[in-house]
Amino acid sequence: MDRVALRGLRARGHHGVFPREREEGQTFVVDLVLGLDTRPAAAEDDLAKTVHYGVIAEEVVDVVQGEPVDLIETLAERIAQQCLKHGPVQEVEVCVHKPDAPITVPFDDVTVTITRSRA
């Protein structure tokens, strides 16, 4: 299976279990790795036979900016399901970063990574 990756998609969302997170929002960063067969598109040099990563990027931002959830695990699942709606995408790895998580000690990042497939 071939891979198409999008890294560092940024959007502001209102996800989290604390009222402050829901009210003020924060930046979330999303990395995607889409698994698909790119041979049909490459053979005919045809965008219609692959995945339009610009469209997927916009959809992911819409999910992050959309309905708030408590957990970034839930957010990652919603993103994965949106990506799998695209016919050529057979598998997706989603990594959601929450760099401004409400943690009381110094840290660089919090991430949740999931892999989902059609099978």
Side-chain angles (χ1 to χ4, degrees), residues 16-117:
V17 296
F18 298 113
R20 182 176 170 196
E21 293 178 290
R22 293 293 184 104
E23 292 165 11
E24 295 177 14
Q26 60 192 293
T27 298
F28 292 85
V29 182
V30 178
D31 300 324
L32 301 174
V33 180
L34 308 168
L36 64 149
D37 184 357
T38 63
R39 289 176 293 189
E44 296 184 33
D45 197 28
D46 186 354
L47 177 61
K49 296 190 176 186
T50 187
V51 65
H52 192 309
Y53 49 79
V55 170
I56 287 189
E58 292 171 358
E59 291 173 353
V60 168
V61 166
D62 287 345
V63 171
V64 174
Q65 292 175 339
E67 180 184 346
V69 296
D70 288 344
L71 304 176
I72 58 175
E73 292 87 343
T74 306
L75 182 60
E77 184 67 33
R78 287 184 178 180
I79 291 168
Q81 294 309 314
Q82 183 61 44
C83 293
L84 289 170
K85 289 180 181 178
H86 292 264
V89 178
Q90 297 300 307
E91 180 180 273
V92 62
E93 179 182 282
V94 177
C95 180
V96 176
H97 301 255
K98 190 174 180 180
D100 299 320
I103 297 175
T104 60
V105 297
F107 73 102
D108 289 330
D109 199 5
V110 172
T111 66
V112 168
T113 302
I114 66 170
T115 302
R116 298 293 181 266
S117 64

